[in-house]
Amino acid sequence: HRGGPDIDEFSVDRKAIGAGQCVRLRWRTGDTDGVNIYRSGQTIVSRGDDDGSTEDCPPGPGVYDYVLEAFGNGTNRQSLTVEVVRMER
């Protein structure tokens, strides 16, 4: 009997960025068949590797919720928030 998927790490390199900039998300999971990552409900990684990283460039100013969903024998989720601020000219 194996437990559900484990999320060992889900991190972002910066919690706040300027509009037009990008963040790098990293994750490490165990006992998973794969991962999905969502940005405020929109899929940015579908059936990704157990361990990996991806760059994402949010579309504009605002607060975005990133959710890592590890799936296998059940699912496990972890979330983090990134704020995108309008750049002063």
Side-chain angles (χ1 to χ4, degrees):
H1 171 77
R2 65 179 189 139
D6 294 318
I7 296 174
D8 300 317
E9 178 193 358
F10 182 42
S11 62
V12 65
D13 59 351
R14 291 180 294 170
K15 294 276 192 178
I17 58 171
Q21 295 181 329
C22 303
V23 293
R24 179 159 289 282
L25 300 155
R26 295 182 188 283
W27 64 93
R28 286 185 308 116
T29 65
D31 282 339
T32 58
D33 294 333
V35 304
N36 298 316
I37 299 178
Y38 307 97
R39 182 211 318 121
S40 297
Q42 183 179 357
T43 304
I44 58 170
V45 173
S46 179
R47 298 194 71 82
D49 294 333
D50 295 5
D51 303 339
S53 68
T54 190
E55 192 174 72
D56 186 63
C57 308
V63 175
Y64 296 91
D65 294 311
Y66 287 91
V67 177
L68 172 69
E69 180 180 70
F71 57 88
N73 182 24
T75 58
N76 193 356
R77 290 182 187 82
Q78 197 166 320
S79 63
L80 51 82
T81 302
V82 171
E83 183 177 8
V84 180
V85 296
R86 196 178 301 280
M87 300 297 277
E88 298 299 326
R89 298 217 177 279

